[in-house]
Amino acid sequence: MNAANGDERGTTERVLTLLGLLQQRQVWTGPELAERLRVTPRTVRRDVERLRALGYPVHAAQGVGGGYRLGAGQELPPLLLDDQEAIATAVSLLVGAGGAVAGAGDATLRALTKLDQVLPARLRHEVRALSGSVESFVSGRTPVAPEVLMTLARACRDEVEAGFAYPSGGEVRQRRVEPYRLVASDRRWYLFAYDLDRADWRTFRVDRMTEVSARTWCFCPRAAPDAATYVQEGVASRAYPQRARFLVHASADTVRAQVPASAAVVRERGSDRCEVLSGAERLDAMLMHVLLLGHDFEVLDPPELRARCHALAQQLASAGAASSPAPDAQER
């Protein structure tokens, strides 16, 4: 039994070594691979079949210039990285998590979390040291320490409680949460979590957190609203004292191209209309922004904003009439 396990382990290590060789160079001949692996060409052919069974498209060609080549398949099989490649990949992902590429932040963090799960402990300090020496002059998303993102991403993945200090009501308070998702906007990272002390769902700006830590206490996931939708509505509307809804006579795609996702929620209402949900310190500010979109629109909520529209319309009409030159002045 032990001998059989040893043979299986030896075969697995040899097949992984073969995969690493195929990823290093465009084409290998059978004798070259046999020499590198210290096996016969027949064993190389069997190991190639094992890789194909695992989903790796290994192509073979006969004649001059022929050999074994690793091709692109319909699905993405696992990649085999050596220490240097793993470090370089992790550092690149840590830098990319800052959101230099629009729309790539979530995918970058997911990939980084998967790599972190299998990264050997002996490589972690090298990744941390290298990532700390890389900066970017690209403006955009508010900077967040990669270690904080990774701590929160691990807590979401492992379903363990997280704790951090967070400013609220003019003071910094300790928060205890069940973290569910990290959500990236065009400007910031947010944590969507269940606040245990307030017994409700909350959105937290990651750049405002300090003393971030993951605890060992596991939790059972609750039925949760859609994280991205909840965070967007919170950032664009719930965070403000005044909120309003408008029916805009233009397609949702047209309005989304005009309004940042962090400024308003745009919902489709047919092919040529959409609903816009937004918030601000003052109702007049929202009214001005919707007016400047250049489309016909209607106020859905709140009722007092409709009355404000009538008052502003009269005020603008009066201002326009007062500024018009007198007929006698026009004739001169």
Side-chain angles (χ1 to χ4, degrees), residues 295-326:
H295 311 296
D296 292 338
F297 68 93
E298 304 166 31
V299 176
L300 299 178
D301 284 310
E304 58 265 29
L305 187 54
R306 298 176 199 154
R308 182 61 179 153
C309 284
H310 290 293
L312 286 174
Q314 293 178 358
Q315 188 176 356
L316 289 171
S318 298
S323 62
S324 299

Side-chain angles (χ1 to χ4, degrees), residues 20-129:
L21 291 172
L22 291 172
Q23 290 177 340
Q24 289 177 13
R25 208 168 83 183
Q26 183 81 9
V27 179
W28 291 86
T29 66
E32 286 177 329
L33 291 173
E35 182 180 356
R36 285 294 191 97
L37 297 172
R38 297 180 182 179
V39 295
T40 64
R42 182 179 179 183
T43 300
V44 171
R45 289 194 293 271
R46 286 201 299 263
D47 289 346
V48 166
E49 289 302 321
R50 291 187 177 98
L51 286 176
R52 288 170 176 164
L54 292 171
Y56 294 92
V58 182
H59 304 301
Q62 303 291 332
V64 179
Y68 294 102
R69 178 175 59 85
L70 186 62
Q74 294 181 346
E75 297 181 356
L76 182 65
L79 298 176
L80 186 65
L81 304 176
D82 60 27
D83 286 5
Q84 289 76 21
E85 292 168 339
I87 291 171
T89 302
V91 171
S92 299
L93 290 170
L94 282 167
V95 175
V101 181
D106 289 332
T108 298
L109 190 59
R110 288 198 304 272
L112 182 57
T113 306
K114 291 178 181 178
L115 182 60
D116 172 75
Q117 191 169 11
V118 297
L119 195 67
R122 57 188 167 80
L123 300 181
R124 294 183 188 277
H125 74 280
E126 295 188 49
V127 170
R128 190 175 299 112

